[in-house]
Amino acid sequence: MRFFSHFSITDFSNAYLLGPDKQGDAVLIDPGVFDELLLKLVENHKFYVRYVLISHAHKGHINGIKTLLKIYDAQLFCFNHTTLGFPCHRIKGGDHLQLGEFDIEVIETPGHSWDSLSFKIDSFVFTGDALSSGLVGKTETDYEQSLLLSSLRNLLSGLDDNTMIFPGHGPPTTAGIERRFNSFLKDEP
Amino acid sequence: MVPFNLCTVPACTAFSVFKRDKCLYHLDKPEKYSEEIYAYLAESKEFDCMNLTSIELADLDLSGKTFSCCLISHSHLSHLNFNKVRIDILFLDFSSLEHCTFKGSNLKCTVMAGSRIENCDFSQSEIFCCNFTGAECRDTVFNESDLYRSRFINSDLKRVEFKDCNLKRVDFRRARIEHVDFKYSNTKDAFFEDTVRL
């Protein structure tokens, strides 16, 4: 497997590209932008973006889809039936997807938004805006905050310390780091 | 197909180390493996999806090399020369780094969270979106570096220099800082909420 991160300078979000060791179908997570750098990353490795996973439908994580779909015949996967008007395969917590060579477990992590999903691909977890290192996603109400913390504690309870977490914003982290240093997740309510 | 496979010893949750099917702890001859790794690190220039978790490395010149999506977590590194390295995703979390130099490096998405960093030099470097959450830094310099979007949340910084640095969106929330020098750096663009200045 080849794995790359890409930073969007317009929305300051992270996209992640997973492809096979050699050429073939790739999975792209949260394309907040589809710019020349990301295109080069795909093309230089002779990947074809066949699948797009969307953690949640905030623009910083989906804005690149329109450009992407002009270049690649990609299938979209998200919590909703459509994203930016494009049809999506609707997925929910507990679903297991086999996309190319990748086994993907879908975990619901609502709170930051009602459609927030995390994706577990072996020892990698992609959390969108739900969790980033030392912080949790922004919420509008106490109920959303409670929902988010509950869903994140549930997520972390199923992960080994060495599971690598790749958030929608900010640097990578691990489940062990978040368990130990994330003040929001330390104390049960 | 994933870059890191679990150790083949039943119930072990650690990843197997580079070029082996077991973790370092379960290898039959870890000393021999270390010798091999020393030679490999010295000879090769690019390292991709390499797991060296729990390794001890000392007195190595790794300057100018490239690390991409590698794991060197829970390791002990001392007197290593990482000057002018290029890194894109490297986990060095819960490690100990002593007298290591990263001068003039390009560190992207490097994770040193929970690590003890002592007498290290990160000056004149691009330290983009790196994770120092919960790290304990002592007598370390980041002078003239661009730390854009890096995080020091809940870290413990003592006698650390951030002189003439770009601190835009650098997060020091809930950090404990003592004798930390931010001279000529744009601290107004960084986050210091609940930072404890000792």
Side-chain angles (χ1 to χ4, degrees):
Chain A
M1 181 186 102
R2 305 298 306 277
F3 174 66
F4 304 94
S5 68
H6 175 72
F7 178 69
S8 162
I9 56 165
T10 51
D11 289 292
F12 316 113
S13 56
N14 301 321
Y16 298 102
L17 177 70
L18 296 97
D21 284 330
K22 291 179 183 169
Q23 61 187 26
D25 290 344
V27 174
L28 182 61
I29 300 171
D30 283 354
V33 68
F34 198 83
D35 58 12
E36 208 175 319
L37 277 176
L38 185 50
L39 179 64
K40 274 185 184 168
L41 203 57
V42 174
E43 292 296 318
N44 288 348
H45 292 90
K46 298 191 166 101
F47 294 153
Y48 187 96
V49 181
R50 185 72 67 188
Y51 312 104
V52 177
L53 299 175
I54 298 160
S55 67
H56 65 300
H58 287 172
K59 64 173 188 172
H61 303 268
I62 58 173
N63 266 351
I65 287 172
K66 203 171 172 183
T67 307
L68 172 86
L69 290 178
K70 288 177 182 170
I71 306 166
Y72 301 104
D73 182 20
Q75 298 176 46
L76 310 181
F77 295 82
C78 70
F79 191 81
N80 308 306
H81 291 288
T82 61
T83 294
L84 296 175
F86 297 106
C88 291
H89 295 276
R90 190 177 186 280
I91 52 175
K92 60 186 185 309
D95 286 351
H96 287 262
L97 312 171
Q98 180 72 47
L99 305 180
E101 66 175 50
F102 303 105
D103 292 312
I104 295 153
E105 183 185 344
V106 182
I107 303 158
E108 285 180 21
T109 43
H112 170 69
S113 67
W114 59 271
D115 61 343
S116 286
L117 298 172
S118 292
F119 306 108
K120 185 172 188 295
I121 305 177
D122 205 79
S123 52
F124 292 3
V125 174
F126 301 89
T127 53
D129 279 358
L131 173 67
S132 67
S133 191
L135 303 171
V136 297
K138 283 181 184 163
T139 51
E140 300 286 327
T141 65
D142 287 348
Y143 170 70
E144 287 174 352
Q145 171 87 349
S146 172
L147 188 63
L148 177 63
L149 296 182
S150 166
S151 68
L152 290 176
R153 287 192 180 106
N154 181 52
L155 171 74
L156 286 177
S157 71
L159 304 178
D160 286 326
D161 275 351
N162 55 6
T163 303
M164 288 159 271
I165 294 173
F166 294 93
H169 298 276
T173 181
T174 66
I177 294 166
E178 294 316 302
R179 264 196 274 272
R180 188 153 167 196
F181 297 115
N182 192 319
S183 306
F184 295 91
L185 299 170
K186 271 185 173 174
D187 303 311
E188 289 286 346
Chain B
M1 290 295 291
V2 291
F4 306 111
N5 294 307
L6 286 178
C7 173
T8 51
V9 172
C12 180
T13 56
F15 297 124
S16 58
V17 285
F18 182 61
K19 290 185 175 177
R20 294 288 192 280
D21 63 357
K22 290 178 184 151
C23 67
L24 197 68
Y25 179 78
H26 287 118
L27 283 183
D28 293 333
K29 293 176 181 170
E31 304 82 14
K32 195 183 167 194
Y33 181 75
S34 284
E35 281 175 28
E36 270 180 49
I37 285 303
Y38 265 79
Y40 181 74
L41 289 172
E43 288 163 13
S44 305
K45 284 188 175 173
E46 294 183 10
F47 308 100
D48 196 6
C49 291
M50 175 179 69
N51 175 29
L52 297 179
T53 294
S54 300
I55 200 144
E56 287 191 21
L57 297 172
D59 304 307
L60 255 176
D61 182 5
L62 300 170
S63 58
K65 299 186 190 264
T66 301
F67 295 82
S68 178
C69 200
C70 292
L71 296 184
I72 315 184
S73 306
H74 299 277
S75 296
H76 183 77
L77 313 181
S78 83
H79 294 90
L80 299 193
N81 177 359
F82 286 99
N83 291 347
K84 295 185 177 174
V85 290
R86 291 184 65 84
I87 294 174
D88 186 3
I89 305 178
L90 169 64
F91 285 82
L92 264 168
D93 51 311
F94 297 110
S95 293
S96 150
L97 291 90
E98 293 167 2
H99 296 280
C100 294
T101 61
F102 293 79
K103 208 168 176 179
S105 296
N106 189 321
L107 313 180
K108 181 186 167 202
C109 298
T110 301
V111 180
M112 299 195 197
S115 289
R116 185 173 171 85
I117 300 166
E118 210 165 350
N119 290 298
C120 291
D121 184 352
F122 293 87
S123 58
Q124 297 170 6
S125 295
E126 300 285 323
I127 303 172
F128 171 70
C129 214
C130 290
N131 192 350
F132 295 88
T133 294
E136 200 180 306
C137 291
R138 299 282 183 271
D139 304 294
T140 288
V141 291
F142 290 86
N143 297 341
E144 298 173 58
S145 287
D146 184 348
L147 289 120
Y148 182 57
R149 286 190 175 260
S150 290
R151 291 190 186 179
F152 290 82
I153 295 172
N154 271 325
S155 62
D156 191 342
L157 312 176
K158 202 178 274 184
R159 298 179 302 279
V160 178
E161 292 182 9
F162 292 93
K163 289 182 191 169
D164 195 17
C165 287
N166 177 22
L167 298 180
K168 192 170 171 70
R169 301 197 73 86
V170 177
D171 201 326
F172 292 97
R173 277 178 276 190
R174 296 183 292 283
R176 290 162 300 283
I177 62 176
E178 188 175 356
H179 298 298
V180 175
D181 193 342
F182 291 108
K183 200 173 183 182
Y184 305 128
S185 295
N186 54 337
T187 49
K188 282 182 182 172
D189 295 327
F191 303 110
F192 285 95
E193 197 178 297
D194 297 326
T195 304
V196 180
R197 292 168 195 267
L198 300 167

mmCIF file of all heavy atoms in Angstrom, chain B residues 149-184:
data_model
loop_
_atom_site.group_PDB
_atom_site.id
_atom_site.type_symbol
_atom_site.label_atom_id
_atom_site.label_comp_id
_atom_site.label_asym_id
_atom_site.label_seq_id
_atom_site.Cartn_x
_atom_site.Cartn_y
_atom_site.Cartn_z
ATOM 1 N N ARG B 149 1.038 25.434 12.002
ATOM 2 C CA ARG B 149 0.040 24.418 12.345
ATOM 3 C C ARG B 149 0.555 23.249 13.184
ATOM 4 O O ARG B 149 -0.075 22.187 13.234
ATOM 5 C CB ARG B 149 -0.654 23.880 11.082
ATOM 6 C CG ARG B 149 -1.630 24.899 10.518
ATOM 7 C CD ARG B 149 -2.514 24.386 9.434
ATOM 8 N NE ARG B 149 -3.452 25.444 9.098
ATOM 9 C CZ ARG B 149 -4.705 25.513 9.525
ATOM 10 N NH1 ARG B 149 -5.192 24.577 10.274
ATOM 11 N NH2 ARG B 149 -5.473 26.528 9.202
ATOM 12 N N SER B 150 1.715 23.404 13.809
ATOM 13 C CA SER B 150 2.180 22.335 14.691
ATOM 14 C C SER B 150 1.512 22.467 16.056
ATOM 15 O O SER B 150 0.991 23.522 16.401
ATOM 16 C CB SER B 150 3.704 22.386 14.817
ATOM 17 O OG SER B 150 4.285 22.007 13.588
ATOM 18 N N ARG B 151 1.509 21.388 16.802
ATOM 19 C CA ARG B 151 0.785 21.392 18.087
ATOM 20 C C ARG B 151 1.682 20.982 19.253
ATOM 21 O O ARG B 151 2.385 19.979 19.172
ATOM 22 C CB ARG B 151 -0.420 20.437 18.021
ATOM 23 C CG ARG B 151 -1.491 20.951 17.100
ATOM 24 C CD ARG B 151 -2.783 20.159 17.206
ATOM 25 N NE ARG B 151 -3.707 20.647 16.188
ATOM 26 C CZ ARG B 151 -4.920 20.151 15.988
ATOM 27 N NH1 ARG B 151 -5.367 19.148 16.736
ATOM 28 N NH2 ARG B 151 -5.690 20.665 15.039
ATOM 29 N N PHE B 152 1.620 21.808 20.319
ATOM 30 C CA PHE B 152 2.348 21.524 21.554
ATOM 31 C C PHE B 152 1.334 21.426 22.706
ATOM 32 O O PHE B 152 1.657 21.754 23.835
ATOM 33 C CB PHE B 152 3.363 22.637 21.837
ATOM 34 C CG PHE B 152 4.538 22.663 20.896
ATOM 35 C CD1 PHE B 152 4.424 23.269 19.644
ATOM 36 C CD2 PHE B 152 5.743 22.077 21.239
ATOM 37 C CE1 PHE B 152 5.507 23.305 18.771
ATOM 38 C CE2 PHE B 152 6.825 22.101 20.371
ATOM 39 C CZ PHE B 152 6.712 22.715 19.131
ATOM 40 N N ILE B 153 0.127 20.996 22.413
ATOM 41 C CA ILE B 153 -0.934 20.937 23.424
ATOM 42 C C ILE B 153 -0.488 20.019 24.574
ATOM 43 O O ILE B 153 0.074 18.943 24.335
ATOM 44 C CB ILE B 153 -2.242 20.406 22.791
ATOM 45 C CG1 ILE B 153 -2.755 21.401 21.746
ATOM 46 C CG2 ILE B 153 -3.310 20.144 23.850
ATOM 47 C CD1 ILE B 153 -3.918 20.897 20.920
ATOM 48 N N ASN B 154 -0.712 20.493 25.815
ATOM 49 C CA ASN B 154 -0.375 19.698 27.009
ATOM 50 C C ASN B 154 1.100 19.314 27.085
ATOM 51 O O ASN B 154 1.449 18.346 27.775
ATOM 52 C CB ASN B 154 -1.236 18.417 27.059
ATOM 53 C CG ASN B 154 -2.538 18.638 27.787
ATOM 54 O OD1 ASN B 154 -2.585 19.402 28.741
ATOM 55 N ND2 ASN B 154 -3.595 18.014 27.332
ATOM 56 N N SER B 155 1.945 20.070 26.381
ATOM 57 C CA SER B 155 3.372 19.725 26.440
ATOM 58 C C SER B 155 4.027 20.402 27.646
ATOM 59 O O SER B 155 3.413 21.234 28.323
ATOM 60 C CB SER B 155 4.067 20.164 25.148
ATOM 61 O OG SER B 155 3.976 21.563 25.028
ATOM 62 N N ASP B 156 5.241 20.046 27.918
ATOM 63 C CA ASP B 156 5.993 20.589 29.040
ATOM 64 C C ASP B 156 7.323 21.085 28.476
ATOM 65 O O ASP B 156 8.165 20.273 28.087
ATOM 66 C CB ASP B 156 6.197 19.458 30.064
ATOM 67 C CG ASP B 156 6.739 19.974 31.367
ATOM 68 O OD1 ASP B 156 7.264 21.098 31.390
ATOM 69 O OD2 ASP B 156 6.651 19.239 32.367
ATOM 70 N N LEU B 157 7.453 22.418 28.382
ATOM 71 C CA LEU B 157 8.620 22.992 27.714
ATOM 72 C C LEU B 157 9.481 23.753 28.715
ATOM 73 O O LEU B 157 8.993 24.665 29.390
ATOM 74 C CB LEU B 157 8.182 23.956 26.602
ATOM 75 C CG LEU B 157 7.095 23.475 25.624
ATOM 76 C CD1 LEU B 157 6.719 24.586 24.645
ATOM 77 C CD2 LEU B 157 7.582 22.247 24.859
ATOM 78 N N LYS B 158 10.712 23.382 28.824
ATOM 79 C CA LYS B 158 11.622 24.054 29.748
ATOM 80 C C LYS B 158 12.934 24.376 29.028
ATOM 81 O O LYS B 158 13.530 23.490 28.422
ATOM 82 C CB LYS B 158 11.892 23.140 30.951
ATOM 83 C CG LYS B 158 12.368 23.880 32.189
ATOM 84 C CD LYS B 158 12.576 22.949 33.349
ATOM 85 C CE LYS B 158 11.296 22.718 34.138
ATOM 86 N NZ LYS B 158 11.520 21.891 35.335
ATOM 87 N N ARG B 159 13.311 25.635 29.105
ATOM 88 C CA ARG B 159 14.534 26.114 28.421
ATOM 89 C C ARG B 159 14.509 25.754 26.936
ATOM 90 O O ARG B 159 15.395 25.074 26.412
ATOM 91 C CB ARG B 159 15.798 25.572 29.095
ATOM 92 C CG ARG B 159 15.970 26.032 30.557
ATOM 93 C CD ARG B 159 17.194 25.470 31.208
ATOM 94 N NE ARG B 159 17.223 24.017 31.205
ATOM 95 C CZ ARG B 159 16.577 23.249 32.060
ATOM 96 N NH1 ARG B 159 15.841 23.801 33.028
ATOM 97 N NH2 ARG B 159 16.646 21.944 31.983
ATOM 98 N N VAL B 160 13.437 26.208 26.296
ATOM 99 C CA VAL B 160 13.263 25.948 24.862
ATOM 100 C C VAL B 160 13.252 27.289 24.137
ATOM 101 O O VAL B 160 12.682 28.263 24.626
ATOM 102 C CB VAL B 160 11.947 25.174 24.600
ATOM 103 C CG1 VAL B 160 11.746 24.940 23.110
ATOM 104 C CG2 VAL B 160 11.969 23.840 25.335
ATOM 105 N N GLU B 161 13.898 27.367 22.995
ATOM 106 C CA GLU B 161 13.964 28.619 22.221
ATOM 107 C C GLU B 161 13.170 28.506 20.930
ATOM 108 O O GLU B 161 13.353 27.555 20.162
ATOM 109 C CB GLU B 161 15.424 28.949 21.889
ATOM 110 C CG GLU B 161 16.242 29.320 23.121
ATOM 111 C CD GLU B 161 17.673 29.682 22.756
ATOM 112 O OE1 GLU B 161 17.975 29.805 21.552
ATOM 113 O OE2 GLU B 161 18.477 29.825 23.700
ATOM 114 N N PHE B 162 12.274 29.497 20.765
ATOM 115 C CA PHE B 162 11.520 29.636 19.505
ATOM 116 C C PHE B 162 11.821 31.027 18.954
ATOM 117 O O PHE B 162 10.931 31.811 18.705
ATOM 118 C CB PHE B 162 10.018 29.519 19.752
ATOM 119 C CG PHE B 162 9.523 28.165 20.175
ATOM 120 C CD1 PHE B 162 9.398 27.837 21.519
ATOM 121 C CD2 PHE B 162 9.150 27.212 19.228
ATOM 122 C CE1 PHE B 162 8.918 26.595 21.914
ATOM 123 C CE2 PHE B 162 8.677 25.970 19.614
ATOM 124 C CZ PHE B 162 8.567 25.657 20.956
ATOM 125 N N LYS B 163 13.061 31.396 18.780
ATOM 126 C CA LYS B 163 13.422 32.744 18.341
ATOM 127 C C LYS B 163 13.235 32.869 16.835
ATOM 128 O O LYS B 163 13.675 31.992 16.074
ATOM 129 C CB LYS B 163 14.879 33.045 18.687
ATOM 130 C CG LYS B 163 15.157 33.237 20.168
ATOM 131 C CD LYS B 163 16.626 33.577 20.348
ATOM 132 C CE LYS B 163 17.028 33.506 21.807
ATOM 133 N NZ LYS B 163 18.480 33.571 21.951
ATOM 134 N N ASP B 164 12.597 33.978 16.445
ATOM 135 C CA ASP B 164 12.416 34.300 15.029
ATOM 136 C C ASP B 164 11.732 33.154 14.267
ATOM 137 O O ASP B 164 12.190 32.742 13.190
ATOM 138 C CB ASP B 164 13.787 34.626 14.406
ATOM 139 C CG ASP B 164 13.638 35.321 13.065
ATOM 140 O OD1 ASP B 164 12.539 35.826 12.768
ATOM 141 O OD2 ASP B 164 14.625 35.339 12.301
ATOM 142 N N CYS B 165 10.662 32.646 14.862
ATOM 143 C CA CYS B 165 9.937 31.528 14.234
ATOM 144 C C CYS B 165 8.597 31.994 13.673
ATOM 145 O O CYS B 165 8.026 32.976 14.165
ATOM 146 C CB CYS B 165 9.634 30.445 15.276
ATOM 147 S SG CYS B 165 11.072 29.505 15.781
ATOM 148 N N ASN B 166 8.085 31.286 12.701
ATOM 149 C CA ASN B 166 6.690 31.480 12.299
ATOM 150 C C ASN B 166 5.836 30.578 13.182
ATOM 151 O O ASN B 166 5.941 29.354 13.123
ATOM 152 C CB ASN B 166 6.480 31.127 10.823
ATOM 153 C CG ASN B 166 5.014 31.263 10.434
ATOM 154 O OD1 ASN B 166 4.244 31.975 11.104
ATOM 155 N ND2 ASN B 166 4.612 30.596 9.362
ATOM 156 N N LEU B 167 4.989 31.197 14.009
ATOM 157 C CA LEU B 167 4.145 30.424 14.932
ATOM 158 C C LEU B 167 2.674 30.510 14.526
ATOM 159 O O LEU B 167 1.785 30.316 15.360
ATOM 160 C CB LEU B 167 4.324 30.960 16.354
ATOM 161 C CG LEU B 167 5.741 30.867 16.940
ATOM 162 C CD1 LEU B 167 5.766 31.440 18.354
ATOM 163 C CD2 LEU B 167 6.224 29.415 16.970
ATOM 164 N N LYS B 168 2.413 30.789 13.276
ATOM 165 C CA LYS B 168 1.019 30.922 12.834
ATOM 166 C C LYS B 168 0.275 29.600 13.068
ATOM 167 O O LYS B 168 0.681 28.545 12.590
ATOM 168 C CB LYS B 168 0.958 31.306 11.357
ATOM 169 C CG LYS B 168 -0.437 31.740 10.933
ATOM 170 C CD LYS B 168 -0.401 32.348 9.535
ATOM 171 C CE LYS B 168 -1.786 32.584 8.987
ATOM 172 N NZ LYS B 168 -2.512 33.660 9.640
ATOM 173 N N ARG B 169 -0.795 29.714 13.847
ATOM 174 C CA ARG B 169 -1.658 28.602 14.200
ATOM 175 C C ARG B 169 -0.925 27.461 14.928
ATOM 176 O O ARG B 169 -1.345 26.306 14.879
ATOM 177 C CB ARG B 169 -2.402 28.074 12.971
ATOM 178 C CG ARG B 169 -3.272 29.120 12.286
ATOM 179 C CD ARG B 169 -4.286 28.513 11.348
ATOM 180 N NE ARG B 169 -5.363 27.856 12.065
ATOM 181 C CZ ARG B 169 -6.448 28.487 12.513
ATOM 182 N NH1 ARG B 169 -6.591 29.774 12.349
ATOM 183 N NH2 ARG B 169 -7.387 27.808 13.128
ATOM 184 N N VAL B 170 0.174 27.822 15.582
ATOM 185 C CA VAL B 170 0.849 26.819 16.424
ATOM 186 C C VAL B 170 0.102 26.784 17.759
ATOM 187 O O VAL B 170 -0.247 27.822 18.319
ATOM 188 C CB VAL B 170 2.339 27.174 16.616
ATOM 189 C CG1 VAL B 170 3.002 26.175 17.557
ATOM 190 C CG2 VAL B 170 3.045 27.165 15.260
ATOM 191 N N ASP B 171 -0.158 25.606 18.249
ATOM 192 C CA ASP B 171 -1.062 25.446 19.384
ATOM 193 C C ASP B 171 -0.298 25.062 20.655
ATOM 194 O O ASP B 171 0.240 23.955 20.753
ATOM 195 C CB ASP B 171 -2.104 24.365 19.031
ATOM 196 C CG ASP B 171 -3.343 24.473 19.886
ATOM 197 O OD1 ASP B 171 -3.209 24.860 21.061
ATOM 198 O OD2 ASP B 171 -4.444 24.178 19.383
ATOM 199 N N PHE B 172 -0.250 26.016 21.612
ATOM 200 C CA PHE B 172 0.413 25.766 22.899
ATOM 201 C C PHE B 172 -0.630 25.635 24.016
ATOM 202 O O PHE B 172 -0.295 25.826 25.186
ATOM 203 C CB PHE B 172 1.360 26.930 23.234
ATOM 204 C CG PHE B 172 2.557 27.042 22.323
ATOM 205 C CD1 PHE B 172 2.549 27.910 21.253
ATOM 206 C CD2 PHE B 172 3.694 26.273 22.547
ATOM 207 C CE1 PHE B 172 3.662 28.040 20.420
ATOM 208 C CE2 PHE B 172 4.805 26.388 21.712
ATOM 209 C CZ PHE B 172 4.786 27.271 20.648
ATOM 210 N N ARG B 173 -1.864 25.341 23.670
ATOM 211 C CA ARG B 173 -2.904 25.304 24.698
ATOM 212 C C ARG B 173 -2.591 24.247 25.781
ATOM 213 O O ARG B 173 -2.151 23.157 25.476
ATOM 214 C CB ARG B 173 -4.276 25.015 24.079
ATOM 215 C CG ARG B 173 -4.918 26.280 23.529
ATOM 216 C CD ARG B 173 -6.232 26.018 22.873
ATOM 217 N NE ARG B 173 -6.070 25.600 21.493
ATOM 218 C CZ ARG B 173 -7.087 25.488 20.629
ATOM 219 N NH1 ARG B 173 -8.312 25.761 21.018
ATOM 220 N NH2 ARG B 173 -6.858 25.113 19.400
ATOM 221 N N ARG B 174 -2.813 24.656 27.004
ATOM 222 C CA ARG B 174 -2.590 23.804 28.176
ATOM 223 C C ARG B 174 -1.144 23.328 28.332
ATOM 224 O O ARG B 174 -0.880 22.364 29.048
ATOM 225 C CB ARG B 174 -3.563 22.621 28.177
ATOM 226 C CG ARG B 174 -5.025 23.042 28.317
ATOM 227 C CD ARG B 174 -5.961 21.874 28.395
ATOM 228 N NE ARG B 174 -6.039 21.136 27.154
ATOM 229 C CZ ARG B 174 -6.721 21.545 26.087
ATOM 230 N NH1 ARG B 174 -7.385 22.695 26.125
ATOM 231 N NH2 ARG B 174 -6.757 20.826 24.988
ATOM 232 N N ALA B 175 -0.223 23.988 27.637
ATOM 233 C CA ALA B 175 1.199 23.617 27.806
ATOM 234 C C ALA B 175 1.743 24.281 29.071
ATOM 235 O O ALA B 175 1.216 25.296 29.522
ATOM 236 C CB ALA B 175 1.992 24.073 26.588
ATOM 237 N N ARG B 176 2.763 23.705 29.648
ATOM 238 C CA ARG B 176 3.461 24.308 30.776
ATOM 239 C C ARG B 176 4.816 24.788 30.249
ATOM 240 O O ARG B 176 5.600 23.962 29.739
ATOM 241 C CB ARG B 176 3.653 23.273 31.895
ATOM 242 C CG ARG B 176 2.352 22.883 32.595
ATOM 243 C CD ARG B 176 2.483 21.605 33.368
ATOM 244 N NE ARG B 176 2.851 20.482 32.528
ATOM 245 C CZ ARG B 176 2.019 19.834 31.710
ATOM 246 N NH1 ARG B 176 0.752 20.194 31.618
ATOM 247 N NH2 ARG B 176 2.438 18.811 30.985
ATOM 248 N N ILE B 177 5.040 26.112 30.329
ATOM 249 C CA ILE B 177 6.273 26.630 29.736
ATOM 250 C C ILE B 177 7.104 27.381 30.769
ATOM 251 O O ILE B 177 6.582 28.156 31.563
ATOM 252 C CB ILE B 177 5.990 27.508 28.490
ATOM 253 C CG1 ILE B 177 5.160 28.729 28.827
ATOM 254 C CG2 ILE B 177 5.286 26.707 27.408
ATOM 255 C CD1 ILE B 177 4.970 29.653 27.622
ATOM 256 N N GLU B 178 8.376 27.126 30.762
ATOM 257 C CA GLU B 178 9.283 27.723 31.737
ATOM 258 C C GLU B 178 10.589 28.080 31.022
ATOM 259 O O GLU B 178 11.197 27.195 30.393
ATOM 260 C CB GLU B 178 9.548 26.718 32.864
ATOM 261 C CG GLU B 178 10.320 27.290 34.009
ATOM 262 C CD GLU B 178 10.462 26.289 35.164
ATOM 263 O OE1 GLU B 178 9.884 25.190 35.085
ATOM 264 O OE2 GLU B 178 11.170 26.605 36.131
ATOM 265 N N HIS B 179 10.958 29.334 31.114
ATOM 266 C CA HIS B 179 12.162 29.816 30.418
ATOM 267 C C HIS B 179 12.107 29.468 28.934
ATOM 268 O O HIS B 179 13.044 28.863 28.380
ATOM 269 C CB HIS B 179 13.429 29.234 31.054
ATOM 270 C CG HIS B 179 13.612 29.649 32.482
ATOM 271 N ND1 HIS B 179 13.782 30.966 32.859
ATOM 272 C CD2 HIS B 179 13.595 28.921 33.620
ATOM 273 C CE1 HIS B 179 13.886 31.024 34.171
ATOM 274 N NE2 HIS B 179 13.766 29.802 34.661
ATOM 275 N N VAL B 180 10.979 29.824 28.320
ATOM 276 C CA VAL B 180 10.823 29.604 26.879
ATOM 277 C C VAL B 180 10.937 30.958 26.192
ATOM 278 O O VAL B 180 10.277 31.917 26.579
ATOM 279 C CB VAL B 180 9.471 28.925 26.560
ATOM 280 C CG1 VAL B 180 9.268 28.820 25.051
ATOM 281 C CG2 VAL B 180 9.425 27.537 27.192
ATOM 282 N N ASP B 181 11.792 31.045 25.197
ATOM 283 C CA ASP B 181 12.086 32.321 24.538
ATOM 284 C C ASP B 181 11.397 32.386 23.170
ATOM 285 O O ASP B 181 11.695 31.572 22.283
ATOM 286 C CB ASP B 181 13.606 32.435 24.374
ATOM 287 C CG ASP B 181 14.025 33.853 24.002
ATOM 288 O OD1 ASP B 181 13.164 34.638 23.554
ATOM 289 O OD2 ASP B 181 15.214 34.161 24.156
ATOM 290 N N PHE B 182 10.479 33.364 23.041
ATOM 291 C CA PHE B 182 9.747 33.533 21.769
ATOM 292 C C PHE B 182 10.196 34.812 21.043
ATOM 293 O O PHE B 182 9.449 35.331 20.220
ATOM 294 C CB PHE B 182 8.246 33.633 22.042
ATOM 295 C CG PHE B 182 7.600 32.362 22.530
ATOM 296 C CD1 PHE B 182 7.191 32.226 23.850
ATOM 297 C CD2 PHE B 182 7.376 31.304 21.661
ATOM 298 C CE1 PHE B 182 6.583 31.069 24.297
ATOM 299 C CE2 PHE B 182 6.768 30.139 22.098
ATOM 300 C CZ PHE B 182 6.372 30.020 23.422
ATOM 301 N N LYS B 183 11.375 35.310 21.333
ATOM 302 C CA LYS B 183 11.824 36.586 20.794
ATOM 303 C C LYS B 183 11.728 36.613 19.257
ATOM 304 O O LYS B 183 12.154 35.665 18.584
ATOM 305 C CB LYS B 183 13.278 36.829 21.215
ATOM 306 C CG LYS B 183 13.708 38.264 21.132
ATOM 307 C CD LYS B 183 15.106 38.414 21.742
ATOM 308 C CE LYS B 183 15.523 39.880 21.726
ATOM 309 N NZ LYS B 183 16.867 40.035 22.261
ATOM 310 N N TYR B 184 11.185 37.724 18.754
ATOM 311 C CA TYR B 184 11.015 37.975 17.308
ATOM 312 C C TYR B 184 10.026 37.014 16.624
ATOM 313 O O TYR B 184 9.956 36.964 15.399
ATOM 314 C CB TYR B 184 12.357 37.921 16.562
ATOM 315 C CG TYR B 184 13.412 38.833 17.113
ATOM 316 C CD1 TYR B 184 14.667 38.328 17.431
ATOM 317 C CD2 TYR B 184 13.160 40.189 17.315
ATOM 318 C CE1 TYR B 184 15.656 39.165 17.955
ATOM 319 C CE2 TYR B 184 14.139 41.021 17.839
ATOM 320 C CZ TYR B 184 15.382 40.500 18.157
ATOM 321 O OH TYR B 184 16.343 41.314 18.676
#
